[in-house]
Amino acid sequence: MTKSSVSLVQFTDQHLFGDPSRALRGVQTLPALRATLAAAASDIAGCDAILATGDLVQDDPAGYAHFRAEFATLGKPVLCIPGNHDDLPAMHAALSTPPFQLGGIHDAGAWRVVMLDSTIPGETGGALSDATLRQLDDALRAAPRRHALVCLHHHPVPMKSRWLDTVGLANAGDFLAVLRRHPQVRAVLFGHVHQALDEVRDGLRVIATPSTCSQFKPKSDDFAVDDAPPAWRTLQLDADGSIETTLRWVTR
């Protein structure tokens, strides 16, 4: 691995509550996160930064204390974006100091990681505001020689799941139009969908990662829970612009 390669670990959709015994769809979310972090310990030790791609809590600001407690001691930068179940004022208050970073850009090696807020207050689906689209365009224009990984919570491509695709990124066309102006964008990474995806769509690589708690059944017309275990993803961002990624599941 060259010095310009960057190693990331993605955890997403923790859905934490203030009460550590609370469960979501039959899974206690804090014990599930702890099991995931324990299983990922060697990946965390070797990474340059951690990505947390939204829904850190389940509509409960008290859950951020658990998120801080679990991630602050890992010795890595923790790059966070909000999801539709997050409370933005509480999230900003809880994650305003190192090792946490909420949104913005993170430059490492030959890469620029751009983190976007796709949330709409009170809505399950998402959209990128005009201001956020301009920030994305500016962030990419300012670093044309860096490969770019763009992160957001909501899925900007269809997941072939009727119910889930009603709560994705409403203005995906506007988002993708910005990306097409910047050929250094190598991939888009997201959460929200509680399932895995790694495909090339219209020339753009799109990557999604299952939750650290419960999963959705893929390609289901109606809402359905899958029986897959918690998961995390490793990403190696190489100096030549290629991305090597592995999805890892917690062994039951």
Side-chain angles (χ1 to χ4, degrees), residues 140-180:
L140 296 173
R141 185 182 300 109
R145 292 181 175 84
R146 285 186 180 273
H147 309 296
L149 174 68
V150 179
C151 306
L152 72 168
H153 182 66
H154 292 87
H155 51 297
V157 295
M159 294 297 297
K160 303 175 184 177
S161 175
R162 185 176 61 189
W163 76 270
L164 187 55
D165 286 335
T166 67
V167 292
L169 189 71
N171 60 340
D174 296 332
F175 170 61
L176 297 173
V178 173
L179 299 188
R180 282 194 290 269

Side-chain angles (χ1 to χ4, degrees), residues 65-89:
H66 296 301
F67 184 88
R68 282 189 58 88
E70 298 301 323
F71 283 89
T73 60
L74 298 179
K76 306 292 179 178
V78 184
L79 313 176
C80 305
I81 56 175
N84 49 289
H85 288 285
D86 283 304
D87 181 306
L88 265 67

Side-chain angles (χ1 to χ4, degrees), residues 33-56:
L33 172 60
R34 287 173 172 165
T36 308
L37 293 175
S42 62
D43 289 331
I44 294 169
C47 80
D48 296 300
I50 293 167
L51 284 168
T53 49
D55 283 357
L56 281 55

Side-chain angles (χ1 to χ4, degrees), residues 124-149:
T124 303
L128 297 170
S129 68
D130 290 343
T132 299
L133 290 169
R134 287 193 297 270
Q135 290 166 3
L136 170 62
D137 198 33
D138 291 345
L140 296 173
R141 185 182 300 109
R145 292 181 175 84
R146 285 186 180 273
H147 309 296
L149 174 68

